[in-house]
Amino acid sequence: MAFMNAKTLIKLCDKCYWNPLTQTVSEDNHTIVLTSSMTKLLSMLIDHHDKPVSSVDIFFHIWDDYDKEFNPKNVRNLISNLRKRIPCLIINNYYGGRYVLKKYRDNVPDITEYVLEILDQAKNGVTISDPNLPDNPIIFVNEAFSEMFGYTSEEVIGRNCRFLHGEDRDQLSLKEIQKALSEERDITVTLRNYTKSGELIYNELTISPIFDKKTEKLKYFLGVQKNVTAIQKLIQQIKRML
């Protein structure tokens, strides 16, 4: 955040400032009215600007006085309401149920046309599926995914991710994934997956729902795969030695 004349005001976006002393937001010298929950959320995000804050931490920070069970939808709704109240805020969603209030910068370059190239060069496997199409098919995979599993993008796109399990369907993690998808929430699990050649891979998979910022409707599921086979084999060896 940019500080204004070495004073206490923190610039959130053009002509919009946060006063940490009074816990208020002003735009063009007019106060923007926020609920107490919005104020606590914004204060927390500013304190962690440019750093991811988990939905769990947000939930228990906002509703710390209530005996409530964690519900990520409450956090998403609060984030959505804050965005509507201060439209210029840049609050990004990240896989694993994390939110980041981006630092205000003038003249930020538009990287929209490079997003796919960025995903393609990521070291971990990345998949995007469309739950609004029948059977939630894959619509994008990056190069790291193809290298990990041996499938080309043409062989994968249009199929549900379940083909990676082969005949190994008796996995508790699969039921956990189904429940998370139906509840439209984030989840991280370790799966036994199989490459095109039939090789077993232990895959640490994080799935995150991606919502339309305007309608808050579910648009995609983002999957990030990490090959943890070596770690799993080491753990199994240690267990056998004990």
Side-chain angles (χ1 to χ4, degrees), residues 38 76-86 216:
M38 289 182 193
R76 290 202 300 269
N77 290 338
L78 185 58
I79 292 284
S80 175
N81 290 334
L82 182 61
R83 284 170 171 156
K84 291 176 182 177
R85 196 65 59 90
I86 313 176
E216 289 297 312

Side-chain angles (χ1 to χ4, degrees), residues 193-240:
N193 285 156
Y194 296 85
T195 67
K196 184 177 180 180
S197 63
E199 178 186 355
L200 169 64
I201 285 182
Y202 286 91
N203 173 25
E204 184 182 87
L205 170 65
T206 296
I207 301 176
S208 298
I210 307 299
F211 298 91
D212 186 293
K213 289 185 178 180
K214 293 182 179 179
T215 65
E216 289 297 312
K217 291 183 178 180
L218 179 66
K219 287 185 68 70
Y220 307 110
F221 280 112
L222 173 67
V224 178
Q225 294 86 12
K226 182 178 180 181
N227 189 338
V228 293
T229 304
I231 297 175
Q232 289 296 320
K233 287 183 176 179
L234 178 60
I235 292 174
Q236 292 173 15
Q237 289 176 1
I238 293 174
K239 286 182 177 179
R240 286 195 293 266

